[in-house]
Structures are given as structure tokens and as C-alpha cells.
Amino acid sequence: MTDEFENPLYYDDDADESYLDDKTVAVLGYGSQGHAHAQNLADSGVDVVVGLRESSSSRSAVKADGLRVETPKQAAKEADLVSVLVPDTVQPAVYEEIAPVMEAGDTLQFAHGFNIHYGQIEPSEDVNVTMVAPKSPGHLVRRNYENDEGTPGLLAVNQDATGDAHDIGLAYAKAIGCTRAGVVETTFREETETDLFGEQAVLCGGVTSLVKQGYETLVDAGYSREMAYFECLNELKLIVDLMYEGGLGEMWDSVSDTAEYGGLTRGDRVVDDSARERMEEILEEVQDGTFARQWITENQAGRPSYKRLRHAEKNHDIEAVGEDLRALFAWGEEAETEEKEKTRTTADD
């Protein structure tokens, strides 16, 4: 463990996989994260059973991958540790199904804290409640493991009924390859609220809105749709890769002086103090449960707003231009193969 950071950070030497010895792990769901966790655990010598409903289309994939599959309830009944990797919206119903067969001393584990933090799932006090959350899509968690590499992850303990929940969670993190890269200790509250805020204000909401606004500004000013796409969306990956590899400093050092001066003198005019104020409003809605209540109600109503917004997003002009341009790129076929791999493992059961 290193104490150089505000939150503790753990590596392979800090984790003891013997905490999973003689234990059966049930992985509920075989989507993006589920398939990666189950296969990595099995390759690490852990006894794994996958829990899927009888009608799940993923059952054949589980068997083809050489793993055992049962219903969620039966898998949980056999297991000492139950890793719940179905979508957030499905988890409460799944927990209701498995709760009667979980025993004192078992571990209930998640990869996101939403339902525990917002009280949609209230586990019995005699079970451990932990979180092991790789900070990467599942197909990369699996690929990195197969390449003897690691995927950074998070570890949290919300309820320690046995006194060794932290060790059990850390052993699980090692078995799926996260401690190879480093595991940061956090809490369910911190993970949930920062994750939701990051998605909404920056990663998924803020960035896509900025890209579309930039695209529309250029097109409305008479520039070609193709040039607008290249400048506002396609080149974004190049910039993000630089930031990922070496932070903002690496990015500024790598772009031209003209780009650096333009960015430093104009960026805050686009994302200004008013944007910061709206970010603080979004964070407050996450913290006080406003967003959670809205999302829960939206699902109960059949997702009408979600479907309308999703349809509009998919039909934005930038999508049509991008599809045509990407078909011309040299890496088009490789990207298509990658997308098929991700799609196969995206829909959690």
C-alpha cells in the first residue's frame, strides 16, 4: 500500500488471494463487466458460477467460455461472495430474489454504489457489502488480464460483518487483475457521487454537448460538415490521449504554440464561471438524491424522456457525417471489429 495519495492505493503485494480459497463466487450478469470478472476469476483459480435468468441469451456464451451457469437465486445460494453486475435499474429486483438464500458471513459485492448509496437495496446486517469497480469497460478488463497487464480499480467497504471484508474485496480485485495496475480505496458515497457527476458534467454530458455546439457553430457559419466533424470530434481523441498519457501539461507541451495560446486565452470564455455554477447545481442534484429519484421515476414510467433524448442524439447531423467519414478511414475495418466485440458484451443480463 502507498500513502502518497489522499486515498490509500493497493497493488498485488498488498492483496492475499487466499481469502478466496475454498469460496465460490457468483457473478450475476454476463455483460460488459460480468463476462470479464467471471473469466478473469476463473483463470485465477477461483470457483465461479454465473447467475443468469433462464431466458437469458447469454447462457450459451457462458457455456462456450467453459463456465457454469445457474439462475441468479441458485448461484447466490451456492456462493460465499455474490458479485452483482447487472444494470443498476435491475439490481433491486435481483436482490429481492437472492436475499432469502444469502447466509450470514456472505459477501454482497457491487461495481457501482448507486443502489446502496440511495437506499434502493438494504442488505441484511450480517453480510459484508463491498465494491470492486474497474475503471474501464469490461472488454478491456479482460484483454488487459490476458496480456498480463492490469486495469486500475476502486475498492470500498460499506458493511463489514465478518471483520475481513476489506481483505476479501482486495483479493477479488487481485483475481480480476486490478491490483496489477493499482486499486484506490474509496467509499460508496464518494464513488457514486463523483461517478455520476463526472458522467453528467464532463465525460458523457459536457463533452458531447461541447462537441455538438462546436460542430453546429462551424456548419452554421458556412463551413463544410466534414471539416466541422474533423475539427470538433475526430481530433478530440488525439487531445484526450495526450491528457490520458501525461496530464494537461503533456497535452499543452505537445500541441503547437498557436494552439496553446488560443486554448489558454479562449477556453475559459466557453466554459466560464457560469458553467462552473451549473456544474455545482448538477453536483448538488447528485448529492441530495434529486437525480437518483428522477432516474428511478423515469424507469418506472417506461423511460419516455430517455427514449426521446436518445433518439434525438442518434439522429443529430454529426452522426450521419461521422458514419460516412469513418467508413473511409484506414482503421475503419479494425474499428468495426472492435465495436462488434464490445457490443457482444455490452448488454448485461
Side-chain angles (χ1 to χ4, degrees), residues 139 143 336-346:
H139 72 285
R143 182 186 303 171
E336 185 177 351
T337 301
E338 173 92 355
E339 184 61 30
K340 286 180 179 177
E341 178 186 353
K342 286 189 287 186
T343 301
R344 183 183 70 84
T345 58
T346 295

Side-chain angles (χ1 to χ4, degrees), residues 128-259:
N128 297 326
V129 181
T130 60
M131 180 199 309
V132 174
K135 300 305 291 180
S136 169
H139 72 285
L140 292 180
V141 175
R142 178 58 179 162
R143 182 186 303 171
N144 289 342
Y145 181 94
E146 291 180 304
N147 292 336
D148 294 323
E149 299 171 353
T151 301
L154 303 177
L155 169 68
V157 176
N158 191 70
Q159 191 166 282
D160 187 359
T162 61
D164 58 0
H166 187 276
D167 293 317
I168 293 171
L170 200 53
Y172 183 103
K174 182 174 183 178
I176 64 172
C178 286
T179 51
R180 295 175 182 175
V183 172
V184 179
E185 186 166 359
T186 184
T187 64
F188 272 62
R189 173 183 177 273
E190 184 177 57
E191 184 276 335
T192 301
E193 293 180 0
T194 58
D195 185 70
L196 292 176
F197 172 79
E199 292 169 349
Q200 295 168 23
V202 182
L203 305 176
C204 302
V207 167
T208 56
S209 182
L210 188 66
V211 166
K212 287 184 295 181
Q213 295 284 358
Y215 173 86
E216 291 168 3
T217 298
L218 288 177
V219 171
D220 289 348
Y223 298 100
S224 71
R225 296 156 72 226
E226 293 78 15
M227 286 301 298
Y229 178 88
F230 277 122
E231 294 301 328
C232 295
L233 191 153
N234 184 71
E235 292 193 25
L236 181 63
K237 181 185 186 310
L238 309 179
I239 299 300
V240 170
D241 282 349
L242 291 171
M243 291 192 290
Y244 177 82
E245 292 165 5
L248 298 179
E250 175 76 10
M251 184 274 290
W252 290 126
D253 289 343
S254 300
V255 300
S256 69
D257 292 346
T258 305

Side-chain angles (χ1 to χ4, degrees), residues 308-323:
R308 173 177 53 79
L309 293 168
R310 199 165 190 260
H311 176 78
E313 189 76 359
K314 286 184 174 294
N315 286 277
H316 190 282
D317 185 60
I318 199 171
E319 291 291 85
V321 176
E323 184 175 358

